[in-house]
Amino acid sequence: MKAKDFMTFKKWAVVGDVTNDSKYAYKILNRLKAAGYMVEGVNPKGVQGAFNSLEEVPYAIEVLDLCINPVKGLEVLKEAKKLNIQNVLIQPGAESNEIHEYCRENNITAINGCALVELSNL
């Protein structure tokens, strides 16, 4: 599976600084919305304008877009496992060996890639 294959899924969650318009998480969230995806932003820091956890998202997430520090990303993945989220797109800078190892051990499909690049190729 490649990053472009994730674009066939329509229910996404973007995790990161989704309320800061200078951050990639914000740009990814809004580009996905503009392209017609069902997508919500999650910021574990508890900021206004975003969900605090994946469990608050009101639909079954098909793709989790990690756009967050890898240490925090690993914690998000543990929540994703509990929610049976099977697909994770890991943005540049959010990847780590620990994240990939966790995904392998828990049968989560994890791909390094950029949603913005994939959206521009649609």
Side-chain angles (χ1 to χ4, degrees):
M1 186 171 270
K2 296 183 179 182
K4 70 177 183 174
D5 299 324
F6 282 168
M7 305 316 294
T8 61
F9 295 101
K10 294 298 179 187
K11 296 176 182 175
W12 288 58
V14 177
V15 178
D17 198 353
V18 295
T19 59
N20 182 341
D21 65 1
S22 70
K23 299 291 185 173
Y24 278 104
Y26 174 91
K27 294 171 186 176
I28 292 164
L29 176 69
N30 286 289
R31 284 283 304 279
L32 285 166
K33 282 183 182 178
Y37 289 82
M38 181 182 289
V39 59
E40 294 292 346
V42 176
N43 187 328
K45 291 181 180 178
V47 299
Q48 189 171 5
F51 289 108
N52 296 328
S53 69
L54 296 173
E55 133 181 306
E56 294 176 12
V57 175
Y59 51 82
I61 299 165
E62 295 174 314
V63 178
L64 171 60
D65 190 303
L66 276 184
C67 199
I68 194 169
N69 173 295
V71 174
K72 293 177 184 169
L74 191 55
E75 293 304 312
V76 172
L77 282 174
K78 290 175 183 176
E79 182 185 6
K81 180 183 181 295
K82 290 178 189 173
L83 296 172
N84 201 32
I85 297 170
Q86 297 295 309
N87 302 299
V88 179
L89 183 61
I90 306 168
Q91 298 294 321
E95 73 275 8
S96 73
N97 290 336
E98 292 81 10
I99 283 177
H100 281 284
E101 184 177 323
Y102 183 85
C103 289
R104 272 192 304 275
E105 290 172 355
N106 290 283
N107 298 314
I108 297 170
T109 302
I111 304 290
N112 290 350
C114 179
L116 294 175
V117 170
E118 300 307 328
L119 284 166
S120 70
N121 291 328
L122 292 180

